[in-house]
């Protein structure tokens, strides 16, 4: 359910012990806990907000920062050869405003007045339950959850044109938000596997991590034209070995003014 998706993360238990510490064993075998590095990379390069304006001024849809991020990462090496292991899960809230502003005529003290009721707003979550080094990112399971974490009776349900747009933006692995996230996860896995000196990589966390601008995201439902601005990355979280808590987020008015993210 949506409530479960937004629940605080459960520590997975760091296989490598204290984060960032390299343990030496017999026959040259070493282990280094890389949870902190992977969490910082995910927050800075994968889980940054995305926003798209729909064609013909029909509205907009955006994915916010994660409400849930948990997992662990470990590099294991023998005689200079490293295996790069990771296992994470995360949940991203989405929100869409689709349609024209609604106006209702009401009678107040015998006079008719127009009352603005706002644009139809829909909410939900995208969940990646098993982001692991054992599976190619193109094969990751993706769960699309309809409905936010508010009272069900007050939430709007998409139908017709709004439902079609949201399915194209949120439910299509080859286009829209899922495609962007899967490409980002592929790039994350490549950067992680390129590490040959885990201690140097962990030491570099003190340096700021900034996304690299590429081309605007394209979707079947249409994307905003021009070159949108790039959000600054979220600061790397402080991580217990085996778990990351990205906060609860999703409050009223949170994220207003977020710009679209440039994506390939």
């Amino acid at each position: 359910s949506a409530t479960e998706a937004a629940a605080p993360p459960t520590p997975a238990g760091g296989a490598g012990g204290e984060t960032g510490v390299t343990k030496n064993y017999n026959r040259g075998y070493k282990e280094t806990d890389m949870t902190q590095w992977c969490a910082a990379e995910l927050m800075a390069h994968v889980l940054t907000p995305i926003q798209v304006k729909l064609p013909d001024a029909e509205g907009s849809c955006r994915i916010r920062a994660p409400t849930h991020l948990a997992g662990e990462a470990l590099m294991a090496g023998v005689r200079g050869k490293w295996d790069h292991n990771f296992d994470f899960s995360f949940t991203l809230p989405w929100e869409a405003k689709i349609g024209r502003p609604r106006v209702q005529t009401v009678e107040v003290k015998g006079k008719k007045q127009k009352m603005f009721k706002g644009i139809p707003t829909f909410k939900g979550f995208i969940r990646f339950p098993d982001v692991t080094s054992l599976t190619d990112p193109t094969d990751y399971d993706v769960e699309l959850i309809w409905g936010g974490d508010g009272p069900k009776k007050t939430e709007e349900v998409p139908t017709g044109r709004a439902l079609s747009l949201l399915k194209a933006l949120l439910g299509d692995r080859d286009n829209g938000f899922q495609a962007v996230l899967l490409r980002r996860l592929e790039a994350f896995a490549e950067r992680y596997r390129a590490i040959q000196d885990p201690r140097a990589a962990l030491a570099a966390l003190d340096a700021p991590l900034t996304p690299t601008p590429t081309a605007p995201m394209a979707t079947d439902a249409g994307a905003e034209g021009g070159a949108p601005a790039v959000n600054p990355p979220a600061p790397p979280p402080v991580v217990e070995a085996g778990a990351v808590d990205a906060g609860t987020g999703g409050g009223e008015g949170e994220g207003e003014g977020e710009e679209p993210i440039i994506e390939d």
Side-chain angles (χ1 to χ4, degrees):
S1 69
T3 302
E4 292 171 344
T10 300
E18 184 180 351
T19 187
V21 172
T22 298
K23 290 188 174 183
N24 296 290
Y25 299 89
N26 293 331
R27 302 181 185 276
Y29 178 79
K30 299 179 180 179
E31 286 184 352
T32 302
D33 191 298
M34 296 295 288
T35 303
Q36 190 78 28
W37 188 92
C38 287
E41 278 285 309
L42 287 169
M43 291 297 292
H45 295 284
V46 178
L47 305 179
T48 50
I50 311 169
Q51 178 168 303
V52 169
K53 287 189 177 180
L54 302 176
D56 303 322
E58 289 189 272
S60 64
C61 185
R62 63 181 172 180
I63 290 182
R64 298 177 182 267
T67 58
H68 165 92
L69 171 59
E72 60 186 346
L74 178 74
M75 284 180 61
V78 177
R79 297 173 184 173
K81 294 183 179 180
W82 292 94
D83 285 332
H84 300 74
N85 305 298
F86 62 86
D87 189 356
F88 286 92
S89 64
F90 58 81
T91 302
L92 301 166
W94 59 265
E95 179 181 282
K97 295 179 181 292
I98 301 176
R100 306 296 179 185
R102 295 164 297 180
V103 178
Q104 180 179 5
T105 301
V106 297
E107 189 170 321
V108 180
K109 296 182 179 180
K111 295 183 179 181
K112 290 185 177 181
Q113 298 182 3
K114 291 184 177 181
M115 182 174 66
F116 177 69
K117 296 188 66 177
I119 298 173
T121 301
F122 314 102
K123 298 180 180 181
F125 298 90
I126 291 182
R127 175 170 167 76
F128 284 69
D130 193 20
V131 175
T132 171
S133 53
L134 300 177
T135 305
D136 188 275
T138 57
D139 294 325
Y140 286 157
D141 291 333
V142 183
E143 300 172 2
L144 178 57
I145 301 169
W146 299 90
D149 52 7
K152 298 302 178 186
K153 64 175 66 176
T154 64
E155 290 193 354
E156 300 187 76
V157 178
T159 58
R161 174 67 174 167
L163 181 59
S164 298
L165 287 170
L166 288 174
K167 283 183 176 180
L169 278 170
L170 299 165
D172 189 343
R173 293 180 67 92
D174 299 320
N175 297 283
F177 291 139
Q178 284 195 33
V180 171
L181 292 167
L182 290 170
R183 286 198 300 268
R184 289 180 176 184
L185 286 167
E186 284 185 282
F188 155 76
E190 289 176 4
R191 288 193 296 271
Y192 180 44
R193 293 189 179 108
I195 296 175
Q196 295 302 313
D197 187 342
R199 288 190 294 181
L202 289 165
L205 284 178
D206 293 334
L209 298 168
T210 54
T212 301
T214 53
M217 183 184 80
T219 71
D220 281 347
E224 184 178 9
V230 177
N231 274 6
V238 177
V239 186
E240 297 287 340
V244 181
D245 188 353
T248 54
E252 186 66 27
E254 179 184 342
E256 293 299 328
E258 291 173 340
E259 294 293 332
I261 298 298
I262 290 180
E263 188 53 63
D264 57 343

